[in-house]
Structures are given as structure tokens and as C-alpha cells.
Amino acid sequence: MSCEYPQTKSQPHFFLIFNFQLIKMFSDELEKISWEETTKAIYSKTDADVRRALGKKEHLDVNDFMALISPAATPYLEVMARLSQKYTMERFGKTISMFVPLYITNSCTNSCVYCGFHISNPMKRTILTEEEIINEYKAIKRLAPFENLLLVTGENPAAAGVPYIARALDLAKPYFSNLQIEVMPLKAEEYKELTHHGLNGVICFQETYNKESYECLHPTGPKHDYAYHTEAMDRAMEGGIDDVGIGVLFGLELYRYEFAGLLMHAEHLESVFGVGPHTISVPRIRHADDIDPSAFDNGIDDDTFAKIVACIRVAVPYTGMIVSTRESQESRERVLSLGVSQISGGSSTSVGGYYEKKAEEDNSAQFDVSDNRTLDEIVKWLMDLGYVPSFCTACYREGRTGDRFMSLCKSGQIQNCCLPNALMTLKEYLIDYAAPKTKEIGEKLILEEIKSIPKEKIQEIVRKNLVEIEKGNRDFRF
């Protein structure tokens, strides 16, 4: 990839806001960036700065974020790994939430140079019909008791805009209880409208926080508007969405800059709206149709990827972290204990793909999947590692979102909800979907993990509900 501005390793660009002042839109804050001063600040962090950041259990500030990702933190990587594991167990325990993405169109008017959907790619373009969408929903429900659905689109507002997304949400409500979207940035009133169609959450990746890089990577199309894209989470929250997810595509810019950008974005949302992002995603650039990731200069290796995950967990202990099937089994296994709380499995990144597998010549994938195992293989793998796969959406159904979820998480009370609900939804999966060996492993895991539920009364209720599930009853939750 070539751009008009230099991308040499000797001229890093990092992100910091000095003299932080509360400004409503995050794009306004980004206008205050001083690249030269930021670079000096990150590289000037000392051993004492790192130790001070690691000594804080919460309320880390910008300088702490910079210290954690600075070269001075290199001797503390093992310490950060242990701390991230500790925070993960305290807040999320052994539960790993399972979600499923569904691409309903790859029609796109953008020219993002790293994405298989870019407008110049001659791939086949598809916009699923209502009948096709329902077929995909039914096919997903035949895989597992999925309740977390993420609807994904390209950006073509004229052909697949808000009315199309609203209809897809309406059609999903009989099948799923937690509906999220990863679509083009919308207006606040459009997000508000979609809440009336069942929308619970919004995920929007900034891709990169470096404005020069961003505009170079998105040369044409509506996504070229850096400020409008950067303000998407502000508008989503103004529209009544208190479950938002942020992320960057690691490999587009130097990772220290992107880490700082992510954490400052999270801090901004909490300062303005009283709650930060529900999730942070950490995708790395991957091969796709017409896209070669080696053309990008800033790719990160597995060691750096693990360091980023650990640093994010230490910096924002209460935020969920997502690692998708972009990552290989080996990579996902390495970072699970460092802070990951949600993963996908058996996913399709083509349009549809669950009801009917796509032929090679009809490839419509946004990127290549690195973890191609079946869902049952991933569920078994998680349990072999001691984790509890969860298909639960009780918090959404009971209104425990936004600041209410964060309050439970910070107090540790969430463990009286998450683990019991995870065990009961896992039991449903084992009875209705699992292979015999997966079921055998899962039954033993459930019996063991019930003992980890903090309150004995809840343990007793879970045991009774598990018996009811064996009898064919479903949908128990706390």
C-alpha cells in the first residue's frame, strides 16, 4: 500500500490529548492532538511511571495508558499478564460469551483499501431478501441456542440503509433476544429509531485514529469523513444505545498509537455519558478477496497482540473484550486468559453462509477466517481449557446494561448472574446440540463449576433448573 505521507518506523505517530477538557464529541477532542509532543511523551515514560500505572486498580488516566504501552513497560510484560488474568477472573470468571455474526449484505459504496467489500472489487454483491434472512436465522438456531446476534452490512444507504436494517431486526426478534449491529455510522435519530425495532447494541470500528492514515485508507465514499465516523459512538449513545463496542484494525497504523486512541475513546464515552464501551474488539488485518495484508507496513506479531490484550484488560478492567475467528486457534488460546470475554465460533464472513454454504466462485467474504473449526469443536475446546461457554443474554432481557451492568461488574455481584446463567445455557446446548464427547465433558464441567457460584441459595436453584432442563424445559435465567 502506498500513501502520500511517510509510514516509516522511524517516524511513529502516537495519540495523546494534553490538558484534557470535557468536549461532547470525540472528534473535537481529536483535533487537539499534538503528534510531536505525544511521541516524546510516550517514549519519555519511565520505570516509575509504569509501576505507578500498575499500582492502580482502576481510574487509570491518559498518562497511565501511555506508560503501559511504552517501551519502559517491556520488563513488566509478565506482571501485566498476571494482572490481566487476575482482573479477568474477578470480573468475568471462566465464562466466555458466544455470539454469531450474520452478514446480510456486502453491497458497499466505500473504497477502504484493506477490506474485501471495497467498491472496486468485482466480487458478487448480494443483499439478502426477507425470506433469505429468515432462512439464515433458522439455520443459526439449528447450530446452538444462540441469543447474541450481530448483524453486519457494507455501507450502501440507498440500497440497504436504515429501513432495510430495521426490517432485518424485526425479523430477528422471534429468534434472538440480543440484537446488535455493525453497520455504517448512523445519525442519532436513526439509532433511536432502530431501538424501536429491537436494537440493543452497536459496534463500530474506528479502523485507525490517525486522521492522515484514515483518509488515505478511505479515499472515497461516505466513510472518508473522519469526523463523522469518529462520532458514531457519541451519536449511538445520544440515540439511547448504552451498549456500544469500539475497536481498531491493528496493522493499519503503529499499535501504540491505536492503543492510546482506543483507551482515550473509552475514557471520553465514560466522561460524557457515564459509561464506557461495553466491549473493545482487537481484530488484526487479514487476507481477503483482492486484499493482501502484507501490503500494510504496521502488522503486529503474536507476542505484540498478546501484549495489547493484556494492556487493555489492565487499563479497563470492566470492559468486555472480543476476539473473533479472524484469529487462529493458537492465537485465541493464548489471549483467552489475558482478558477475552466474548468469542464467535463456526462463523461465516460471507453474506449468509449458514443456511447454505457458498461456492468458492461465489465468495462474498469480507475477510478470510483463520479459525475454521465447527461450533461444537470450539465449545469442546473451551471446556477442555476450563472455560464455560455461555449463550446467555439475561442481562439484556433484564435491563442490566450500561451503567447498571458496570455497577454489578465492579461490585463482583455479576458472578451471581453470569456463571449460573452460563451453566444453564450450556446445559441446553449439551442436550440439544452437542456431540457425545462434548456432552460428556460438559456435564462434568457443570457439576464442578456449580460449586464456584458464590451464593449457596443460587447453587440450589441452578441444580433444580438443570433438572428441569433435562425434562425439556428451557429459558431459565437470573
Side-chain angles (χ1 to χ4, degrees), residues 118 333 422 439 461:
H118 70 85
E333 186 165 324
K439 183 176 182 181
I461 295 172

Side-chain angles (χ1 to χ4, degrees), residues 346-408:
S347 302
S348 169
T349 61
S350 296
V351 178
Y354 298 100
Y355 177 70
E356 185 177 21
K357 297 298 180 185
K358 301 294 183 181
E360 185 64 31
E361 60 270 20
D362 292 330
N363 176 40
S364 60
Q366 186 181 32
F367 58 87
D368 289 355
V369 169
S370 297
D371 191 341
N372 288 291
R373 291 173 294 167
T374 66
L375 178 64
D376 195 71
E377 289 172 330
I378 288 178
V379 168
K380 178 179 177 296
W381 164 70
L382 287 171
M383 295 190 301
D384 283 337
L385 295 172
Y387 295 101
V388 180
S390 174
F391 297 91
C392 171
T393 58
C395 285
Y396 296 95
R397 299 166 77 181
E398 299 296 329
R400 296 190 295 259
T401 60
D403 57 354
R404 295 169 295 285
F405 175 84
M406 286 297 175
S407 176
L408 285 171

Side-chain angles (χ1 to χ4, degrees), residues 146-148 172-173 175-179 198 200 393-394 396-397:
F146 277 118
E147 293 291 338
N148 286 304
K173 285 189 285 188
Y175 301 96
F176 306 95
S177 58
N178 180 35
L179 303 177
N200 300 110
T393 58
Y396 296 95
R397 299 166 77 181

Side-chain angles (χ1 to χ4, degrees), residues 188-199:
E189 57 267 29
E190 291 173 325
Y191 286 120
K192 183 67 174 178
E193 178 185 345
L194 292 179
T195 64
H196 300 310
H197 295 270
L199 179 63

